[in-house]
Amino acid sequence: ETRLSTLLSQITGDTPNTSLEIQTVSNSNAYTSHGGLIVARALKAGGVKYIFALSGGHISPILVGCKNEGIRVIDVRDEVSAVFAADATSRLTGIPGVAVVTAGPGLTNTITAVKNAQMAESPLIVIGGATAMILKGRGSLQDIDQKALMEPHCKRVQLVKSVEEIWTSITSAFTTTLSDVPG
């Protein structure tokens, strides 16, 4: 574990925290910004200092929002590596690890690491980009039933249909991943 802690420190520039402190934030500005910034503010409220991602168009606003909120975006080579890194971060810090991936094939590429985290009871949040709601079911780029894909492997899967749902969805994801048996 010490080697892993040292490696995490070298990658992130942070010292691992052994106690989890989730900040309770009542952010009146949470709904006055674009969706990516709301995601970043909700992650920050959960104590997230960095996310793991593979850049893609569906998630670009989240990456920009994280940068604006001081959350370090660590770009990885593929989606499964993003989830493995988020899982390792969770195990070392006690704060749920966060992976952000693009829609469709980006999310399907996470399954091995998501299942690994589930079996290890590791608190993890995976945010998958998606096609616009108006284009769902119309053959748009990377449009698959992501909820059906993830449900067998996750404690909770939520499809966010509007910007107004983002804050509540992410903050409740922290509660869910840390409740009862973590995961």
Side-chain angles (χ1 to χ4, degrees):
E1 189 170 310
T2 304
R3 283 182 59 202
L4 289 174
S5 297
T6 303
L7 178 60
L8 179 64
S9 295
Q10 290 171 347
I11 291 170
T12 64
D14 287 337
T15 303
N17 181 3
T18 56
S19 65
L20 176 63
E21 296 175 24
I22 295 180
Q23 301 170 17
T24 303
V25 175
S26 175
N27 190 342
S28 60
N29 295 327
Y31 297 106
T32 61
S33 306
H34 65 80
L37 193 53
I38 297 169
V39 169
R41 288 177 178 163
L43 293 175
K44 190 173 185 178
V48 173
K49 293 181 181 177
Y50 29 79
I51 63 168
F52 299 90
L54 181 65
S55 297
H58 292 104
I59 62 170
S60 293
I62 296 171
L63 305 180
V64 170
C66 285
K67 181 181 178 202
N68 290 344
E69 287 297 309
I71 297 172
R72 184 169 173 201
V73 176
I74 300 173
D75 197 31
V76 296
R77 200 172 279 261
D78 54 52
E79 295 86 359
V80 74
S81 296
V83 177
F84 277 131
D87 178 17
T89 299
S90 173
R91 295 182 199 203
L92 292 170
T93 66
I95 298 169
V98 178
V100 181
V101 299
T102 60
L107 190 64
T108 64
N109 288 343
T110 68
I111 293 296
T112 300
V114 167
K115 189 64 178 182
N116 188 66
Q118 179 196 35
M119 299 299 291
E121 300 175 356
S122 180
L124 180 70
I125 296 173
V126 177
I127 299 172
T131 192
M133 290 305 297
I134 196 167
L135 299 175
K136 287 252 179 229
R138 296 182 174 197
S140 69
L141 178 66
Q142 299 179 336
D143 181 23
I144 65 167
D145 188 350
Q146 297 182 154
K147 189 172 183 183
L149 172 72
M150 300 304 285
E151 281 180 327
H153 314 290
C154 300
K155 283 174 73 173
R156 178 172 168 254
V157 177
Q158 183 170 349
L159 174 63
V160 177
K161 296 180 180 180
S162 69
V163 173
E164 292 79 19
E165 296 176 12
I166 294 172
W167 182 269
T168 303
S169 177
I170 297 214
T171 55
S172 65
F174 278 96
T175 302
T176 300
T177 196
L178 293 168
S179 66
D180 301 321
V181 174

